[in-house]
Amino acid sequence: QVQLVESGGGLVQAGGSLGLSCAASTTTFSAYAMGWFRQAPGKEREFVATISKSGRSTIYRDSVKGRFTISRDNAKNAVYLQMTSLKPEDTAVYYCAASLNYALTAPFNYKSWGQGTQVTVSS
């Protein structure tokens, strides 16, 4: 199990930008692919982006392509999500998660989760 703590959420106007961070407490961070998910009220948790263990490969959900960027720093045990051109429909609690395998978009494939951070985009 990996302990994950997200930070950086907040309130932003539509069209604005916000950066999320996720700190991992583990000595083997580079052994995990990392993902970002989000959950809006009354909706199921959905995949946002994932990054490979090395950081060289990424996958995004279609609605955030070109607007969101996932990255990681294995030396700092951290993964990031930079969000630009935010829309009201991006409003959700954002979670980071860890998986032993890359390219997985279903939440059940991720065994370690953070507590989430709220992102609210006003119109």
Side-chain angles (χ1 to χ4, degrees), residues 5-106:
V5 179
E6 303 94 338
S7 60
L11 173 64
V12 63
Q13 287 189 330
S17 300
L18 203 60
L20 304 182
S21 299
C22 174
S25 297
T26 176
T27 58
T28 57
F29 183 65
S30 61
Y32 295 90
M34 299 299 296
W36 284 98
F37 292 78
R38 66 188 182 187
Q39 188 167 18
K43 295 187 176 181
E44 293 188 352
R45 191 167 299 188
E46 64 180 20
F47 165 78
V48 175
T50 184
I51 188 166
S52 63
K53 300 173 186 181
S54 66
R56 287 193 287 267
S57 299
T58 57
I59 300 172
Y60 297 91
R61 73 177 296 110
D62 286 347
S63 63
V64 308
K65 285 180 181 177
R67 300 190 297 122
F68 290 13
T69 302
I70 187 172
S71 61
R72 67 188 294 163
D73 186 337
N74 286 346
K76 295 183 178 180
N77 284 8
V79 62
Y80 309 98
L81 186 68
Q82 183 64 36
M83 305 181 291
T84 64
S85 301
L86 282 161
K87 305 175 181 180
E89 51 264 42
D90 294 318
T91 295
V93 177
Y94 282 71
Y95 300 87
C96 69
S99 173
L100 290 175
N101 298 296
Y102 171 58
L104 302 175
T105 62

